[in-house]
PDB file of all heavy atoms in Angstrom:
ATOM      1  N   ASN A 111      47.279  12.634 319.339  1.00 94.00           N
ATOM      2  CA  ASN A 111      47.410  14.049 319.681  1.00 94.00           C
ATOM      3  C   ASN A 111      46.990  14.985 318.549  1.00 94.00           C
ATOM      4  O   ASN A 111      47.352  16.163 318.543  1.00 94.00           O
ATOM      5  CB  ASN A 111      48.847  14.341 320.119  1.00 94.00           C
ATOM      6  CG  ASN A 111      49.144  13.751 321.473  1.00 94.00           C
ATOM      7  OD1 ASN A 111      48.728  14.277 322.488  1.00 94.00           O
ATOM      8  ND2 ASN A 111      49.843  12.623 321.480  1.00 94.00           N
ATOM      9  N   GLY A 112      46.256  14.469 317.569  1.00 94.00           N
ATOM     10  CA  GLY A 112      45.675  15.302 316.522  1.00 94.00           C
ATOM     11  C   GLY A 112      46.641  15.767 315.446  1.00 94.00           C
ATOM     12  O   GLY A 112      46.436  16.797 314.824  1.00 94.00           O
ATOM     13  N   HIS A 113      47.698  15.009 315.208  1.00 93.00           N
ATOM     14  CA  HIS A 113      48.679  15.388 314.196  1.00 93.00           C
ATOM     15  C   HIS A 113      48.608  14.505 312.952  1.00 93.00           C
ATOM     16  O   HIS A 113      49.593  14.386 312.221  1.00 93.00           O
ATOM     17  CB  HIS A 113      50.100  15.318 314.784  1.00 93.00           C
ATOM     18  CG  HIS A 113      50.335  16.245 315.926  1.00 93.00           C
ATOM     19  ND1 HIS A 113      50.383  17.607 315.782  1.00 93.00           N
ATOM     20  CD2 HIS A 113      50.531  15.994 317.239  1.00 93.00           C
ATOM     21  CE1 HIS A 113      50.615  18.165 316.955  1.00 93.00           C
ATOM     22  NE2 HIS A 113      50.701  17.204 317.861  1.00 93.00           N
ATOM     23  N   ASP A 114      47.458  13.900 312.690  1.00 89.00           N
ATOM     24  CA  ASP A 114      47.321  12.994 311.550  1.00 89.00           C
ATOM     25  C   ASP A 114      47.587  13.668 310.213  1.00 89.00           C
ATOM     26  O   ASP A 114      48.162  13.077 309.319  1.00 89.00           O
ATOM     27  CB  ASP A 114      45.922  12.367 311.521  1.00 89.00           C
ATOM     28  CG  ASP A 114      45.862  11.083 312.320  1.00 89.00           C
ATOM     29  OD1 ASP A 114      46.920  10.486 312.561  1.00 89.00           O
ATOM     30  OD2 ASP A 114      44.745  10.685 312.700  1.00 89.00           O
ATOM     31  N   GLY A 115      47.163  14.909 310.042  1.00 91.00           N
ATOM     32  CA  GLY A 115      47.312  15.590 308.764  1.00 91.00           C
ATOM     33  C   GLY A 115      48.630  16.333 308.601  1.00 91.00           C
ATOM     34  O   GLY A 115      48.829  17.022 307.611  1.00 91.00           O
ATOM     35  N   SER A 116      49.530  16.168 309.531  1.00 94.00           N
ATOM     36  CA  SER A 116      50.798  16.892 309.504  1.00 94.00           C
ATOM     37  C   SER A 116      51.721  16.370 308.396  1.00 94.00           C
ATOM     38  O   SER A 116      51.738  15.176 308.101  1.00 94.00           O
ATOM     39  CB  SER A 116      51.498  16.736 310.853  1.00 94.00           C
ATOM     40  OG  SER A 116      52.811  17.220 310.812  1.00 94.00           O
ATOM     41  N   PRO A 117      52.512  17.267 307.794  1.00 95.00           N
ATOM     42  CA  PRO A 117      53.515  16.819 306.819  1.00 95.00           C
ATOM     43  C   PRO A 117      54.554  15.876 307.441  1.00 95.00           C
ATOM     44  O   PRO A 117      55.108  15.026 306.753  1.00 95.00           O
ATOM     45  CB  PRO A 117      54.181  18.113 306.352  1.00 95.00           C
ATOM     46  CG  PRO A 117      53.266  19.206 306.734  1.00 95.00           C
ATOM     47  CD  PRO A 117      52.462  18.724 307.898  1.00 95.00           C
ATOM     48  N   ILE A 118      54.767  16.018 308.740  1.00 95.00           N
ATOM     49  CA  ILE A 118      55.707  15.120 309.432  1.00 95.00           C
ATOM     50  C   ILE A 118      55.155  13.699 309.405  1.00 95.00           C
ATOM     51  O   ILE A 118      55.877  12.744 309.119  1.00 95.00           O
ATOM     52  CB  ILE A 118      55.956  15.574 310.885  1.00 95.00           C
ATOM     53  CG1 ILE A 118      56.499  16.999 310.921  1.00 95.00           C
ATOM     54  CG2 ILE A 118      56.901  14.622 311.594  1.00 95.00           C
ATOM     55  CD1 ILE A 118      56.553  17.621 312.304  1.00 95.00           C
ATOM     56  N   THR A 119      53.866  13.571 309.694  1.00 94.00           N
ATOM     57  CA  THR A 119      53.220  12.253 309.678  1.00 94.00           C
ATOM     58  C   THR A 119      53.313  11.637 308.286  1.00 94.00           C
ATOM     59  O   THR A 119      53.596  10.442 308.148  1.00 94.00           O
ATOM     60  CB  THR A 119      51.757  12.360 310.131  1.00 94.00           C
ATOM     61  OG1 THR A 119      51.709  12.945 311.433  1.00 94.00           O
ATOM     62  CG2 THR A 119      51.081  11.001 310.159  1.00 94.00           C
TER      63      THR A 119
END
Side-chain angles (χ1 to χ4, degrees):
N111 288 284
H113 298 291
D114 271 340
S116 170
I118 302 170
T119 303

